[in-house]
């Protein structure tokens, strides 16, 4: 029987007693959560608390040490696939390819995994799809340019178009705007929000910027350690200590939560 992910009862991602350990170092500890299709989860916490590790577990490049992590009710595959796209802070584009070629390449290899070339009608269909995405991210004027000819903001727009070309169900953003100037970050916020709505994506975004986390998401997580041993700093891992719905980021309840977060670990930036 095929799962109906549009049904709110079926999580697109579910963690059950999830742990991640490296030898004697505990990174994530007993994470339990459910995320449904179309949610935008922003993830904050101090450096080294396991935020990016959680994204890697969803992507499939890391595996749980204990517990389970499910995608549409099934264990996540041990290798990344087209259903989960990721955008890093460092631009993951091919320097020897133009903007158009960078966006087309994932679908080209999907059609021709061994040769890496497509021809005729198949190539034209991929090209048209790529051009549509390039227009959505605001790079229509730069289709023939190479990454070295683009600004940082333009390169990040290209990375986002690359990820969306795979038609993922989940988009993972690992501090995607951390290296950008404030003005460009504001433009990227608007772009991501628009693409989230247009493509009905489920989004996880790691950020160090608390205000960014409250502004963009529909749900905000704080990763932190519930237990700390000064003599054994790696004995305990982080878990989701706050899970905040963001229907109204300016509510008095959320303001109080911000104060509590800042009092516990210092202001998160």
């Amino acid at each position: 029987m095929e799962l109906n992910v549009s049904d709110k009862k079926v999580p697109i991602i579910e963690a059950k007693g999830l742990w991640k350990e490296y030898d004697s170092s505990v990174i994530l500890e007993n994470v339990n959560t459910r995320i449904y299709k179309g949610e935008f989860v922003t993830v904050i916490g101090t450096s080294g608390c396991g935020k990016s590790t959680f994204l890697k577990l969803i992507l499939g490049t890391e595996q749980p040490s204990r517990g389970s992590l499910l995608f549409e009710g099934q264990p996540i595959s041990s290798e990344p696939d087209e259903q989960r796209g990721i955008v890093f802070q460092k631009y993951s584009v091919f320097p020897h390819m133009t903007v158009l070629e960078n966006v087309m390449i994932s679908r080209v290899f999907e059609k021709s995994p061994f040769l890496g070339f497509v021809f005729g009608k198949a190539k034209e269909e991929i090209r048209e799809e790529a051009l549509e995405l390039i227009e959505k991210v605001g790079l229509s004027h730069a289709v023939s340019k190479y990454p070295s000819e683009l600004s940082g903001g333009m390169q990040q727009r290209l990375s986002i178009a690359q990820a969306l070309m795979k038609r993922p169900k989940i988009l993972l953003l690992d501090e995607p705007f951390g290296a950008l100037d404030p003005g460009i970050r504001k433009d990227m916020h608007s772009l991501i929000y628009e693409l989230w709505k247009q493509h009905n994506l489920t989004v996880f975004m790691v950020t160090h910027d608390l205000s960014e986390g409250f502004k963009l998401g529909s749900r905000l997580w704080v990763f932190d350690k519930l237990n700390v041993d000064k003599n054994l700093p790696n004995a305990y891992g982080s878990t989701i200590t706050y899970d905040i719905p963001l229907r109204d980021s300016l509510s008095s309840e959320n303001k109080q939560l911000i104060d509590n977060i800042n009092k516990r670990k210092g202001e998160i930036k």
Side-chain angles (χ1 to χ4, degrees):
M1 180 177 175
E2 194 170 298
L3 291 170
N4 180 9
V5 183
S6 64
D7 187 340
K8 272 286 189 180
K9 295 181 181 179
V10 181
I12 191 168
I13 290 289
E14 182 174 12
K16 297 180 178 180
L18 177 69
W19 292 65
K20 183 60 182 177
E21 301 160 292
Y22 298 104
D23 297 324
S24 60
S25 296
V26 182
I27 308 301
L28 294 174
E29 177 178 325
N30 197 30
V31 177
N32 293 279
T33 190
R34 291 181 175 183
I35 303 92
Y36 296 92
K37 183 178 180 180
E39 292 195 273
F40 191 138
V41 182
T42 51
V43 186
I44 62 173
T46 54
S47 295
C49 71
K51 306 183 299 296
S52 294
T53 299
F54 190 80
L55 291 197
K56 291 176 183 176
L57 288 165
I58 296 175
L59 186 63
T61 56
E62 296 280 359
Q63 301 302 307
S65 302
R66 286 184 268 168
S68 61
L69 187 63
L70 307 178
F71 172 66
E72 297 183 346
Q74 300 297 320
I76 287 180
S77 60
S78 59
E79 293 183 2
D81 60 29
E82 70 282 353
Q83 299 191 84
R84 291 156 287 158
I86 189 162
V87 178
F88 298 99
Q89 182 175 344
K90 293 284 288 183
Y91 321 120
S92 54
V93 296
F94 298 105
H96 62 289
M97 293 183 177
T98 65
V99 166
L100 179 57
E101 291 167 342
N102 261 286
V103 178
M104 289 179 62
I105 190 64
S106 64
R107 296 300 303 282
V108 169
F109 275 108
E110 181 184 306
K111 295 282 187 181
S112 179
F114 299 108
L115 296 177
F117 292 99
V118 290
F119 306 95
K121 184 178 179 181
K123 182 177 181 179
E124 186 58 29
E125 288 175 352
I126 294 172
R127 183 177 183 277
E128 289 302 315
E129 185 178 353
L131 287 171
E132 183 179 341
L133 260 180
I134 289 168
E135 181 179 2
K136 283 184 179 180
V137 301
L139 290 178
S140 294
H141 63 289
V143 289
S144 300
K145 291 187 176 182
Y146 291 88
S148 61
E149 300 175 276
L150 305 178
S151 66
M154 292 170 72
Q155 289 190 51
Q156 199 61 297
R157 288 172 182 267
L158 176 55
S159 295
I160 292 167
Q162 274 186 323
L164 292 179
M165 189 66 175
K166 299 176 184 178
R167 301 175 183 172
K169 294 182 178 180
I170 295 175
L171 183 62
L172 306 170
L173 305 172
D174 195 356
E175 298 189 50
F177 314 132
L180 302 179
D181 294 333
I184 299 173
R185 285 171 71 111
K186 186 177 180 180
D187 291 341
M188 296 303 293
H189 291 169
S190 299
L191 173 64
I192 284 294
Y193 188 86
E194 181 182 346
L195 292 172
W196 167 49
K197 291 293 188 181
Q198 284 181 352
H199 293 264
N200 194 27
L201 295 164
T202 303
V203 180
F204 293 84
M205 187 182 80
V206 167
T207 178
H208 278 289
D209 188 326
L210 187 55
S211 62
E212 184 174 79
F214 271 88
K215 178 181 178 181
L216 280 178
S218 62
R219 186 172 170 184
L220 181 140
W221 288 349
V222 180
F223 272 81
D224 198 2
K225 293 184 179 184
L226 293 175
N227 301 290
V228 178
D229 187 332
K230 292 182 180 179
N231 296 317
L232 296 169
N234 298 321
Y236 298 100
S238 297
T239 191
I240 300 169
T241 54
Y242 290 93
D243 186 347
I244 307 168
L246 298 178
R247 287 182 293 273
D248 180 7
S249 62
L250 298 178
S251 70
S252 58
E253 180 183 1
N254 282 349
K255 287 180 180 178
Q256 183 60 51
L257 284 167
I258 292 175
D259 290 340
N260 290 342
I261 294 167
N262 289 337
K263 285 177 183 176
R264 179 169 173 80
K265 294 298 289 184
E267 188 174 0
I268 299 171
K269 292 183 177 179

